[in-house]
Coordinates of all heavy atoms in Angstrom, one line a residue:
H284 N 102.5 121.3 85.8 CA 101.2 121.0 86.2 C 100.7 122.3 87.0 O 101.4 123.3 87.1 CB 101.2 119.9 87.2 CG 102.2 120.0 88.3 ND1 103.5 119.5 88.2 CD2 102.1 120.6 89.5 CE1 104.1 119.8 89.4 NE2 103.4 120.4 90.2
E285 N 99.4 122.3 87.4 CA 98.8 123.4 87.9 C 99.4 123.7 89.4 O 99.6 122.8 90.2 CB 97.4 123.2 88.2 CG 96.5 124.5 88.7 CD 95.1 124.1 88.9 OE1 94.6 123.0 88.6 OE2 94.4 125.0 89.5
P286 N 99.9 124.9 89.5 CA 100.6 125.2 90.9 C 99.6 125.5 92.0 O 98.5 125.8 91.8 CB 101.4 126.6 90.6 CG 100.5 127.2 89.6 CD 99.9 126.1 88.7
I287 N 100.1 125.1 93.2 CA 99.3 125.5 94.5 C 99.8 126.8 95.0 O 99.0 127.5 95.5 CB 99.5 124.4 95.5 CG1 98.9 123.0 95.0 CG2 98.9 124.8 96.9 CD1 99.0 121.9 95.9
I288 N 101.2 127.1 94.9 CA 101.7 128.3 95.4 C 102.3 129.2 94.3 O 102.8 128.6 93.3 CB 102.9 128.0 96.4 CG1 102.4 127.1 97.5 CG2 103.6 129.2 96.8 CD1 101.4 127.7 98.4
S289 N 102.1 130.5 94.4 CA 102.6 131.3 93.3 C 104.1 131.3 93.3 O 104.8 131.0 94.3 CB 102.2 132.8 93.6 OG 102.7 133.3 94.6
E290 N 104.7 131.6 92.1 CA 106.2 131.5 92.0 C 106.8 132.6 92.9 O 107.9 132.3 93.4 CB 106.6 131.8 90.5 CG 108.0 131.5 90.3 CD 108.3 131.4 88.8 OE1 107.3 131.3 88.0 OE2 109.5 131.5 88.4
E291 N 106.1 133.7 93.1 CA 106.7 134.8 93.9 C 106.8 134.3 95.4 O 107.7 134.6 96.0 CB 105.8 136.1 93.8 CG 105.8 136.7 92.5 CD 105.0 136.0 91.4 OE1 104.2 135.1 91.8 OE2 105.3 136.2 90.2
K292 N 105.7 133.8 95.8 CA 105.7 133.3 97.2 C 106.7 132.1 97.4 O 107.4 132.2 98.5 CB 104.3 132.8 97.6 CG 104.2 132.3 99.1 CD 102.8 132.1 99.6 CE 102.0 133.4 99.7 NZ 100.7 133.2 100.3
F293 N 106.9 131.2 96.5 CA 107.8 130.2 96.6 C 109.2 130.8 96.6 O 110.1 130.3 97.4 CB 107.7 129.2 95.4 CG 108.6 128.0 95.5 CD1 108.2 126.9 96.1 CD2 109.8 127.9 94.9 CE1 108.9 125.8 96.3 CE2 110.6 126.9 95.0 CZ 110.1 125.8 95.7
A294 N 109.5 131.8 95.7 CA 110.9 132.4 95.7 C 111.1 133.1 97.1 O 112.2 133.1 97.6 CB 111.0 133.4 94.6
R295 N 110.1 133.7 97.6 CA 110.2 134.4 99.0 C 110.6 133.4 100.1 O 111.4 133.6 100.9 CB 108.9 135.1 99.3 CG 108.9 135.8 100.6 CD 109.8 137.0 100.6 NE 109.7 137.7 101.9 CZ 110.7 138.1 102.6 NH1 111.9 137.9 102.1 NH2 110.6 138.7 103.8
A296 N 109.9 132.2 99.9 CA 110.2 131.2 101.0 C 111.6 130.7 100.9 O 112.3 130.5 101.9 CB 109.2 130.0 100.9
Q297 N 112.1 130.6 99.7 CA 113.4 130.1 99.5 C 114.5 131.1 100.0 O 115.5 130.8 100.4 CB 113.7 129.7 97.9 CG 112.8 128.7 97.3 CD 112.5 127.5 98.3 OE1 113.5 126.8 98.7 NE2 111.3 127.3 98.7
E298 N 114.2 132.4 99.7 CA 115.1 133.4 100.2 C 115.1 133.4 101.7 O 116.2 133.4 102.3 CB 114.5 134.8 99.7 CG 115.3 135.9 100.2 CD 114.6 137.3 100.1 OE1 113.4 137.3 99.7 OE2 115.2 138.3 100.5

Side-chain angles (χ1 to χ4, degrees):
H284 52 271
E285 185 181 356
I287 294 176
I288 301 300
S289 68
E290 190 165 347
E291 293 74 19
K292 181 170 288 187
F293 187 86
R295 177 72 178 132
Q297 302 318 301
E298 178 194 2

